[in-house]
């Protein structure tokens, strides 16, 4: 089973490689970042209820948006 740290590392690696490019904060690119986050959370070892899943996606998106400004 994949651990949370592995999921987080894989997600950050994928985001940096594919999505966190110049001008990634544009709406269309942000939507692709959100989809990548959803995909990785779907593959995580945790089982989320729908509200918890949506809260997790929102929290991760907010963190990435604030932490990776450039």
């Amino acid at each position: 089973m994949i651990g949370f740290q592995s999921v987080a590392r894989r997600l950050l690696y994928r985001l940096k490689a594919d999505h966190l490019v110049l001008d990634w904060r544009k709406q269309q690119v942000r939507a692709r970042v959100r989809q990548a986050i959803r995909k990785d959370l779907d593959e995580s070892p945790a089982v989320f209820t729908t509200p918890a899943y949506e809260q997790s996606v929102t929290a991760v998106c907010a963190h990435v948006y604030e932490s990776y400004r450039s």
Side-chain angles (χ1 to χ4, degrees):
M1 184 177 282
I2 300 172
F4 285 115
Q5 289 178 335
S6 297
V7 172
R9 280 190 202 108
R10 184 183 65 219
L11 172 61
L12 188 56
Y13 177 80
R14 285 182 187 172
L15 290 176
K16 284 182 174 181
D18 299 331
H19 302 291
L20 300 181
V21 296
L22 187 63
D23 294 334
W24 78 268
R25 290 176 153 234
K26 291 182 179 178
Q27 187 173 357
Q28 187 176 19
V29 181
R30 284 176 53 194
R32 289 196 304 261
V33 168
R34 187 173 190 85
Q35 283 304 109
I37 290 168
R38 283 182 176 281
K39 180 180 178 191
D40 273 38
L41 285 180
D42 286 343
E43 296 172 2
S44 76
V47 177
F48 293 99
T49 62
T50 301
Y53 176 80
E54 292 302 327
Q55 289 174 346
S56 297
V57 169
T58 300
V60 172
C61 287
H63 175 73
V64 169
Y65 190 75
E66 290 301 317
S67 297
Y68 298 93
R69 292 179 182 248
S70 58

